[in-house]
Amino acid sequence: MKNIYLNIYKSNFANFKKAKKNIENNNVIGLPTETVYGLAANAYSDRAIKKIFNLKKRPSFNPLIIHYKNKKSLDKDVVYNKNFVKLYRAFCPGPITFILKKNLQSKISILACARKKTVAIRFPKHKVARDLLKILDNPLAAPSANISSRLSPTCANDVVDEFGKKIKFILDGGKCKIGLESTILDLTNKPTILRPGAISLEKIQRILKQKVLVKTNSKVIKSPGQLKSHYHPGVPVYINRNGPKKAGAFITFGKKFKSGNNYFNLSKSGNLEQAANNLYELMRKIKNKNFKSISVCKIPNVNLGKAINDRLKKASNK
Ligand code: TXA
Ligand code: MG
C-alpha cells in the first residue's frame, strides 16, 4: 500500500538511528512484529511507560509485555525456570510470551508490570523489531498498537488509523506475517495458556512433555487480555452465523460460501493460518466501509482456529 502518511518511516539505516533516538528520548514509536504492530517504548523508564498507557487509554492495572533481543539480555530482570529454557530453545524468537517471576533487582518500570511480582516477556521474530532491539541498551515494552479493547493493527497504516498524528514515528515492516497476538503462557506455576496464539497447546506440550492448562476466561483475571470484551472493531460482532444481518457484512471461511459485496472470505482454501492473517484486516476494512454489523460463520476450533475463535468470542461480547 502506498505510504501517504508522514509519520510512517521505511526501515533503513538512517531511520533505525532515528528510532533509537526516539526511544532514548522516552518517546513511544510504532513497531512491527511478526504478530501485530506494537507501541514500543523504553521498558526501564516510568516516563516512557506512562505515555504508552495514556495513548492507549489502557487501565493502569493491565501490564505490558517486555520485548528482548535474546535470553542473555534479560538475565537481571526475571527469574527463569527449566520450562522457560526448554521453550525458549524451541520457539524463540517467535510468537510466544512467557509470564515469569520478576527479579528483585529488575530495572523494568513497575508501571509496565502494573506493580505485579510477575512479568510478561517475549522475543519477537520480525527482523525490524530484532534489528532495533540489537542497537538498544534496553528492552522495549510494547502492547499492541491500538486503543485499549480495540482491534490490533497488522500494518503501519492501521497504527495511523488508531492514533492519527499522536504517534510521530512508526517503523514500517510491511504486513505482519501472523496477524494475531502471541500465545501467552504463564510459567510461574503449572504451565497455563492465558491467551491462545500461533504456538499451540499441542506444540508446547510436546516440548514440555507435560500437560498444559488453558485459562482464557477465568473468573480471577490473570491477564486482562482475558477480559470478556476485547478486540472490538467498533460495530457489533455475531459469531457462528449462516449469513449477514440487514446492512451488515458476513465473514466466511472455505469454499462453500458465495461471494457478494458484503461477503468477505478469510480463506477460500480453508487455511487457518491465512484466515488468522486476514481476520483483523478484514474487520477493519468492514468497519471502514460503514457496515452496521459483522456476522461470522463457524470457524473450525482446531490449531490456529482456537486463537481466531478466542478473539471472535471476545469481539462479540458487549
Ligand atoms: O503479539 C503480541 O504479544 C503483541 C506484540 C506487539 O508483541 N503484544 C500484545 O500486547 O498483544 P498487549 O498489551 O496488547 O497484550 C498483552 C497481554 C495483556 O492481556 C496483558 O494483560 C498480559 O499480556 N500480561 C502482561 N503482563 C502480564 C502478567 N504479568 N501476568 C499476566 N498477564 C500479563
Ligand atoms: Mg492488545
Side-chain angles (χ1 to χ4, degrees), residues 56 58 143-144 146 152 181 195 230-231:
K56 273 187 69 91
R58 180 165 174 128
S144 51
N146 51 277
S152 296
E181 306 80 358
R195 180 175 74 182
H230 223 79
Y231 313 111

Side-chain angles (χ1 to χ4, degrees), residues 9-11 15-16 19 30-32 37 128 132 169-173:
Y9 289 79
K10 275 194 189 134
S11 46
N15 290 335
F16 271 107
L31 183 72
Y37 273 67
V128 173
L132 180 61
F169 194 95
I170 302 164
L171 269 177
D172 195 354

